[in-house]
Amino acid sequence: MLNADALSQLRQLKSDIEENKVVFPGTVKATNGRFGFVVLDEGRDVFLPPEEMQKVLPGDRVNVTEQEVEKGKTQGVVDELLETRLNTFVGRYLVKGKGHFVVPETPGINRWIFIPPRERMNAQPDDFIYCQIHKHPIKDGKGQARVLRVIGKAGEPGIERAFTLATFDLADTWPEAVQKQADALGDGDLESREAGREDRTDRPYVTIDSPGTQDMDDALLAEPNATGWTLSIAIADPTAMIAPGSPAEQEAFNRATAIYFPGEPLPMLPDSISTRLCSLMPDVKRLVLVCDLQVNNDGSLGDYSFHQAVIQSKGKLSYDLVSNVIEGREDDDIKALPDAVGNSLDQLHQAATALRKWRGEHALLSGDRPEFRLRLDENKRIRLIEPSVQNEAHRLVEECMVAANRCAADFLGGQGAGLFIQHPGLREDRADNIRALLEGHAPHLSGVDAHQAEGFKTLMKETATLEAEVPVKAILSRQLARAELGFKPAPHQGMGLDAYTTFTSPLRKFSDFHVHRLIKAALWDSPMKALTDDQLEALQAAQIRARQAANSLEAWLKSDFAKTLGETPMAGVISRTVPAGFFVRLDANGLEGFVSCKDLDGKYSFDPVTLRLIHNKNGRIFQLEQPVTVSFAGVDEERRQINFRLVEAREIPTGPV
């Protein structure tokens, strides 16, 4: 037995060790396995073995110490929890023996979490539940959760959407203050705000949109002049109805964007504002922010100006009807159009054609990638996937919107600050691979500086028609950086423009709503509050979360629909390659599924330069845009990923890569 002196010495030794040990702050990063990492603030990763990973949750801020376990190998030991960022999550209720658990469906939580008796809210086995961390596992690796809400059971109509909303913490109802504000607005508020605005109610503006669209935020008009056309783009003006800093504006900021979930969108603004008072419906007066601009005969832009006005749309026209007008077809709907509208549509088409020609020569056009429309049944699951054909009317509207947005970017750039969409082009971390790709397969372009706007445009244009052993343009397109919001004008490389912003969808995107505020503040001294750096970061994060939510729901619905495909061979193309296999996009319906290298004969190596998978012995190749035939092989339910089985592939000639 130790005496008092020995115990004192041990306590002093322990204290000395604690004082002298080096701890590193960092953030926990989960993996698909039971292990994880701590991304240290100094920039490197420290491995967390399963027993340490049990003590933490994804995103936790922790202090770790580093210990050597083998020669040259170290691992982290969690020393202290600094902050936990994971508050709520979703999962499935599970009863195992006498234990009640939630099986999380949040990526990175690879364990069951116990739910104490008082925190179960009468949830039943297999219920989807929305939970909160009740006890953090930092002390003993045994966390606890409480049920906040029972979402429903698998198979119930609409459960996919409800579960997705809970997963991404998206609200399906309006805060009381927002609803109260929206309910208080009426036609009288519109009339009271008409004073001081230009009266353009007699001019033949029309909206062009899908038949089911209710939140119509743009109306168009074009007239010929001596050097081209005067193009007038009228944009719905919700900033006239919503006071700065009010609950509706704050909620719009929090949501960042309307999310077009299949069957039932999640709006950014209450319906009474977005589909009634501010929507540019035909035959009623509406408040608008107008961009009038000169389109020259060669498609270049001349002078432009912004105006606060009142319009009265002369028609809600569908894309198909406008396309028929452009193609010179005759039917009763076309004959019923007023002459002024028909003349404007003709001029709009001519102006848009010139705009597109100019962009094709001086900027960059995005390719017309096939799009598909999901048709849902009464249970809110996919009944049919059909092609969504892009016609001349779609291109007409696109060109008008791009032209107006270019003017907004130019105007804000002249003010010295604003809100811009910046796109740096190719990813910096892929520079060496891209350089090797060009040297090997497009040597005449290897000296092009893709970080400069002109260089990037040259690269993307010339590789579009390049005949090479590998699809260079597709490889480059797979390595583009993400567009970001910024306060200063900067190139949008993806569009080949020196600066770009958007203000044409203020009913659907908060960034556009805010650009309205910026323009009106600069021209008419309208009140507004500038965004801070933190708010800009939060807005960008909310946009990303919305996009992830839409993709997640579509993936779930599509994976269920894929189970109806049977084993019939289906044609497609390779859309993405990774070391473990490749993804195939089906020609008929756009579904994407995965073909694993494990299901192919032999072993394959992944070439990060050409993004090819190459057989280690016979040299067989799989690469982007390669036509293949596949059949349905099942669904990975955890990832909601469709799996395909390779039936046949067009052979790629082997050779030096």
Side-chain angles (χ1 to χ4, degrees):
M1 187 174 179
L2 296 176
N3 60 30
D5 287 341
L7 287 172
S8 177
Q9 290 173 2
L10 282 174
R11 281 194 292 267
Q12 184 61 47
L13 178 62
K14 183 178 179 181
S15 177
D16 291 343
I17 292 173
E18 286 292 323
E19 288 180 5
N20 293 323
K21 74 179 179 182
V22 179
V23 296
F24 301 95
T27 303
V28 174
K29 181 174 71 174
T31 67
N32 289 329
R34 295 179 59 238
F35 61 89
F37 296 90
V38 175
V39 182
L40 302 184
D41 292 353
E42 65 183 42
R44 62 191 179 91
D45 291 359
V46 172
F47 175 76
L48 278 188
E51 61 270 19
E52 291 298 310
M53 195 64 189
Q54 280 289 107
K55 301 176 184 177
V56 292
L57 299 168
D60 279 355
R61 293 277 301 157
V62 296
N63 276 334
V64 295
T65 55
E66 196 172 9
Q67 58 181 212
E68 186 171 348
V69 289
E70 293 179 31
K71 189 174 182 181
K73 290 186 177 182
T74 64
Q75 68 181 31
V77 175
V78 178
D79 186 71
E80 180 185 10
L81 176 68
L82 302 176
E83 177 189 1
T84 184
R85 295 175 179 175
L86 180 70
N87 183 33
T88 58
F89 63 99
V90 294
R92 193 187 294 262
Y93 198 83
L94 174 72
V95 177
K96 198 74 171 177
K98 294 183 179 181
H100 291 236
F101 303 89
V102 55
V103 182
E105 297 220 2
T106 297
I109 311 181
N110 302 313
R111 73 192 85 163
W112 300 355
I113 300 177
F114 179 70
I115 304 175
R118 292 184 179 181
E119 308 295 344
R120 294 169 184 171
M121 284 195 66
N122 297 317
Q124 301 299 313
D126 293 328
D127 279 348
F128 285 120
I129 51 178
Y130 181 60
C131 299
Q132 184 178 51
I133 295 297
H134 178 56
K135 173 179 172 291
H136 196 281
I138 186 67
K139 290 184 178 180
D140 56 8
K142 297 177 181 179
Q144 294 182 5
R146 66 161 58 98
V147 179
L148 297 179
R149 185 172 77 250
V150 175
I151 302 169
K153 278 191 175 358
E156 292 179 353
I159 186 64
E160 298 87 355
R161 183 178 184 275
F163 184 81
T164 301
L165 292 177
T167 300
F168 291 90
D169 279 320
L170 300 171
D172 202 17
T173 57
W174 299 104
E176 184 178 351
V178 175
Q179 193 63 59
K180 185 177 180 180
Q181 180 181 352
D183 291 343
L185 293 171
D187 292 336
D189 296 281
L190 282 175
E191 295 170 5
S192 68
R193 289 163 171 78
E194 291 178 10
R197 289 176 173 256
E198 295 180 25
D199 184 351
R200 297 193 179 189
T201 54
D202 61 335
R203 304 186 68 182
Y205 287 97
V206 292
T207 62
I208 304 172
D209 220 316
S210 301
T213 300
Q214 298 299 315
D215 53 346
M216 293 169 286
D217 48 19
D218 59 87
L220 304 174
L221 169 66
E223 297 170 331
N225 58 40
T227 57
W229 302 266
T230 300
L231 180 60
S232 186
I233 299 100
I235 306 299
D237 190 7
T239 60
M241 305 295 293
I242 299 173
S246 65
E249 181 175 76
Q250 184 58 48
E251 183 66 10
F253 171 82
N254 293 338
R255 295 188 178 210
T257 178
I259 308 177
Y260 287 87
F261 290 128
E264 190 178 354
L266 188 71
M268 184 185 79
L269 293 169
D271 285 347
S272 59
I273 297 174
S274 62
T275 67
R276 193 171 66 83
L277 289 176
C278 292
S279 179
L280 305 186
M281 299 183 292
D283 305 321
V284 293
K285 291 183 178 181
R286 287 293 179 261
L287 309 180
V288 291
L289 179 62
V290 181
C291 177
D292 289 337
L293 63 106
Q294 171 65 27
V295 179
N296 298 319
N297 286 317
D298 64 354
S300 62
L301 302 185
D303 293 338
Y304 61 84
S305 56
F306 293 95
H307 309 265
Q308 296 184 93
V310 182
I311 69 163
Q312 187 165 309
S313 170
K314 299 302 183 278
K316 178 187 176 184
L317 309 183
S318 70
Y319 288 114
D320 287 344
L321 185 145
V322 174
S323 183
N324 288 338
V325 171
I326 292 170
E327 294 171 6
R329 298 181 185 178
E330 291 284 347
D331 62 30
D332 291 342
D333 290 336
I334 293 175
K335 291 176 182 177
L337 292 175
D339 290 343
V341 169
N343 293 335
S344 178
L345 290 176
D346 180 53
Q347 299 304 320
L348 280 167
H349 177 233
Q350 292 183 46
T353 301
L355 287 166
R356 194 167 189 84
K357 183 173 183 293
W358 185 93
R359 283 213 298 144
E361 293 172 351
H362 299 92
L364 288 173
L365 294 171
S366 55
D368 285 340
R369 176 180 168 178
E371 295 185 7
F372 297 87
R373 184 181 294 114
L374 307 183
R375 301 292 192 187
L376 305 189
D377 59 22
E378 63 277 7
N379 292 318
K380 300 184 179 181
R381 294 185 180 84
I382 298 175
R383 169 179 56 85
L384 175 69
I385 302 178
E386 58 186 12
S388 177
V389 179
Q390 300 291 300
N391 57 36
E392 281 302 309
H394 289 89
R395 285 183 274 274
L396 182 160
V397 173
E398 177 187 3
E399 292 305 324
C400 291
M401 297 304 108
V402 170
N405 288 328
R406 287 170 59 195
C407 294
D410 184 75
F411 174 75
L412 292 179
Q415 303 299 307
L419 187 62
F420 300 90
I421 303 173
Q422 307 168 350
H423 185 260
L426 297 168
R427 289 171 51 175
E428 286 280 359
D429 61 333
R430 302 294 175 85
D432 291 342
N433 289 343
I434 292 168
R435 190 179 303 110
L437 172 71
L438 297 177
E439 289 173 352
H441 299 280
H444 65 293
L445 297 173
S446 59
V448 172
D449 184 359
H451 298 295
Q452 299 298 319
E454 287 304 315
F456 183 83
K457 278 191 281 190
T458 298
L459 194 61
M460 299 309 283
K461 284 184 176 182
E462 295 206 16
T463 55
T465 55
L466 180 68
E467 292 187 9
E469 186 181 355
V470 300
V472 177
K473 174 71 177 291
I475 296 169
L476 293 175
S477 298
R478 270 286 167 197
Q479 300 179 86
L480 295 177
R482 175 184 288 161
E484 295 183 343
L485 297 174
F487 292 130
K488 298 292 184 181
H492 192 300
Q493 300 279 55
M495 297 184 71
L497 298 171
D498 292 333
Y500 195 66
T501 191
T502 56
F503 84 108
T504 50
S505 294
L507 301 178
R508 310 173 187 186
K509 293 165 58 182
F510 184 83
S511 55
D512 294 44
F513 181 98
H514 186 70
V515 170
H516 275 234
R517 290 262 195 247
L518 291 166
I519 292 172
K520 292 167 75 173
L523 289 174
W524 302 291
D525 207 23
S526 297
M528 69 158 295
K529 189 175 182 181
L531 296 177
T532 65
D533 289 340
D534 288 344
Q535 286 175 319
L536 185 70
E537 184 178 344
L539 180 61
Q540 182 106 4
Q543 288 181 343
I544 293 171
R545 184 172 68 250
R547 187 161 52 246
Q548 290 173 334
N551 292 341
S552 178
L553 178 56
E554 281 206 13
W556 190 342
L557 294 174
K558 287 177 177 178
S559 65
D560 280 347
F561 177 77
K563 297 171 186 176
T564 68
L565 294 175
E567 297 186 7
T568 304
M570 300 167 289
V573 296
I574 295 178
S575 57
R576 185 156 57 102
T577 56
V578 294
F582 54 86
F583 289 85
V584 175
R585 184 175 62 249
L586 299 182
D587 297 339
N589 53 29
L591 289 181
E592 286 200 339
F594 185 64
V595 176
S596 173
C597 285
K598 293 179 181 179
D599 297 329
L600 303 174
D601 292 334
K603 292 186 177 181
Y604 285 78
S605 297
F606 181 73
D607 179 7
V609 172
T610 62
L611 306 187
R612 283 175 152 187
L613 286 161
I614 305 167
H615 196 283
N616 290 352
K617 291 185 178 179
N618 62 28
R620 189 183 190 187
I621 293 169
F622 293 106
Q623 68 180 26
L624 295 176
E625 296 191 340
Q626 181 179 349
V628 295
T629 302
V630 295
S631 62
F632 177 66
V635 170
D636 181 333
E637 298 290 355
E638 185 175 342
R639 299 181 184 179
R640 298 196 174 100
Q641 174 183 285
I642 301 168
N643 291 326
F644 288 146
R645 183 180 300 106
L646 182 68
V647 176
E648 186 180 2
R650 189 197 76 186
E651 291 298 323
I652 300 295
T654 58
V657 293

